[in-house]
Amino acid sequence: MASILICDEDALFTHSLQRRLIEDGYQVAATERAGEAIQHALSQPVDAMILSIHTVGMSGLEALPILNQIDPSLPVIVVADDERLETERAARRSKIFYYLVKPVDLRELRDVVRQAVTASCCGV
């Protein structure tokens, strides 16, 4: 069973997404703190991560380079609250898997998670 880590300060979004991903057969952990997501990635490797730009404490943008050092092949799907081009560029410099802007279409996000897990498992 593939494991997914969600890091987002929006509890409603996180809960809804977590429920849907569990229905899809994934093992899902969630946190609102990027620092906790980093600790999780250090102690329990995951197959894909959904990381918000806005998290409690350290921002998602600050966490990305650290996550890349921990596991350069980890597919990170970034979710942003705004459409600023500079935010997207900063995220893409950290070799992210995919970039989405809220409000997120959950069907699209679930499809992207499926692609990320496939890439993680198969080295695509």
Side-chain angles (χ1 to χ4, degrees), residues 6-9 30-38 51 55-58:
I6 303 169
C7 181
D8 194 305
E9 68 180 7
T31 181
E32 62 182 11
R33 298 180 175 277
E36 289 177 7
I38 291 167
L51 177 65
T55 58
V56 175
M58 174 190 303

Side-chain angles (χ1 to χ4, degrees), residues 46-90:
V46 295
D47 296 300
M49 182 181 293
I50 299 164
L51 177 65
S52 175
I53 294 297
H54 299 288
T55 58
V56 175
M58 174 190 303
S59 77
L61 285 178
E62 293 169 320
L64 279 169
I66 299 166
L67 291 165
N68 282 332
Q69 287 180 343
I70 294 168
D71 183 356
S73 65
L74 174 64
V76 178
I77 302 161
V78 172
V79 178
D81 293 309
D82 62 56
E83 297 184 35
R84 293 189 324 219
L85 186 56
E86 59 270 13
T87 303
E88 182 174 355
R89 284 181 178 158

Side-chain angles (χ1 to χ4, degrees), residues 83-115:
E83 297 184 35
R84 293 189 324 219
L85 186 56
E86 59 270 13
T87 303
E88 182 174 355
R89 284 181 178 158
R92 291 192 182 279
R93 280 193 291 273
S94 292
K95 303 175 191 168
I96 63 170
F97 185 80
Y98 205 83
Y99 187 89
L100 293 166
V101 177
K102 287 183 180 180
V104 173
D105 178 328
L106 285 180
R107 283 179 282 157
E108 178 184 12
L109 182 51
R110 290 163 76 186
D111 186 49
V112 171
V113 167
R114 192 172 21 260
Q115 292 171 29

